[in-house]
Amino acid sequence: MYRYLLFDLDGTLTDSQEGITKSADYALRTVAGIHTDDLSTLTPYIGPPLIDGFMENHHLDYDTAVRCKDAYRSRYEKVGLFENRVYDGIPEALARLQAAGRTLALATSKPEVFAQRILDHFDLTRYFTVICGATIDGRISQKGEVIEETLRRLNNPSPAETIMVGDRRHDVQGAKAHGLDTLGVLFGFGSAEELQNAGAAALAETPAAMADWLLAH
């Protein structure tokens, strides 16, 4: 049985597309002079660490990507943070899992200080024993590093009793690095193909289906 459940944030608990894409657009325009007509093309920025995103998605060099990250955060922490909504059914799913005695933890590549504010804002903090995210200084940024720190705070539970829940390949890959399975969710921003190719153990189409699967395993 999976007793310890690690959750991604963006694309798993909340639909953060508006705030992230608008902040990415702002950074690209102000730092790199890149204008984006259709902000939906910036959804690949949802999930991965920002510097990686700017380098991979727009082929920026490292120094420019760092400046874009700083510009992104300058807008995101003031405005973009709450251009966001909780997916329908998520509070009910988390409540069911908590009531069943499972231990819930947040493991997000978003800076922890932002993640805490988002959970507080949407009244989700009460469901989580541990809230873990990236550090502002970049010491912890990759998904595998976040998961490692989350597991440490949980006193390193057995991998056989622990699972990651997320919507992108980075969640699956980060979990694999620590011997964990991943339940991929399809109501976020990753496709079934992306998650299956990365090695997700199973897929869930809705928050209710996510909770059903976790309670059955």
Side-chain angles (χ1 to χ4, degrees), residues 52-66:
D52 292 354
F54 286 116
M55 293 176 69
E56 292 173 9
N57 300 321
H58 282 87
H59 310 293
L60 302 180
D61 61 74
Y62 179 79
D63 289 342
T64 305
V66 170

Side-chain angles (χ1 to χ4, degrees), residues 99-159:
R102 308 299 173 93
T103 298
L104 281 59
L106 189 78
T108 174
S109 294
K110 183 184 295 299
E112 188 172 315
V113 62
F114 295 162
Q116 182 70 66
R117 288 175 62 193
I118 290 168
L119 293 185
D120 288 347
H121 179 75
F122 290 117
D123 194 28
L124 297 179
T125 302
R126 56 190 168 139
Y127 299 113
F128 294 94
T129 300
V130 165
I131 295 169
C132 186
T135 55
I136 292 291
D137 63 8
R139 180 178 57 84
I140 295 174
S141 62
Q142 300 296 319
K143 195 69 182 209
E145 296 169 341
V146 173
I147 291 173
E148 180 179 11
E149 175 62 15
T150 307
L151 294 173
R152 187 191 69 78
R153 296 185 195 179
L154 288 169
N155 295 316
N156 293 308
S158 165

